[in-house]
Every structure is written in C-alpha cells, then in structure tokens.
Amino acid sequence: MKYYAIQHKETGRFVAGTDFSHADGKIRQLYATNERPPLLLSGEKLGMELKHRQIDLKHYAVVVVEVGKAVL
C-alpha cells in the first residue's frame, strides 16, 4: 500500500504531527523521534492535510512510502 510522508528538505527530518497550540498563532511542525513515528498520509487526505498543516512545499517534500504486509 502506498502512503505519503512529509520531509523537511534541509534537515531530512520527517514530520510526525503539527502543534496548533501556540499563543502567537503560528503553527509548528513536530518531527519524528524514536517515540513519535512519522506521519503517514493516504493519497485522498494528502492535499487537505498539507493545507491544514500549512506545509510550505518550498521547505518540505512529499515522499512516497510503500508499506507492505508483515510476515510473521
């Protein structure tokens, strides 16, 4: 299955979420860590989420992520 991740072009870090709670009204991206996995978006939600999270494609790239079925 194909998903999309958002990657900061300069640092290579992946977006895990967005912080909308700052008093100054600025939206800040939260980056993936060992405890916080990268945000994966389906194709249907991609455009809406980029707009909602105010992702500037001058600074971020949308990366295709292939997720396969796990074999146990």
Side-chain angles (χ1 to χ4, degrees), residues 1-5 39-43 62-67:
M1 185 165 235
K2 197 180 285 190
Y3 289 96
Y4 301 90
L39 178 67
L40 297 180
L41 302 166
S42 63
V62 175
V63 180
V64 177
V65 178
E66 291 282 341
V67 179

Side-chain angles (χ1 to χ4, degrees), residues 20-66:
F20 298 96
S21 68
H22 288 269
D24 62 6
K26 291 186 181 179
I27 293 173
R28 291 171 175 84
Q29 304 309 321
L30 304 172
Y31 294 101
T33 64
N34 289 336
E35 295 80 30
R36 188 182 322 150
L39 178 67
L40 297 180
L41 302 166
S42 63
E44 307 85 54
K45 288 189 165 189
L46 182 61
M48 179 181 67
E49 289 293 330
L50 290 174
K51 185 175 180 179
H52 175 68
R53 296 170 188 279
Q54 298 183 11
I55 301 293
D56 184 352
L57 294 178
K58 292 179 190 173
H59 303 285
Y60 292 90
V62 175
V63 180
V64 177
V65 178
E66 291 282 341

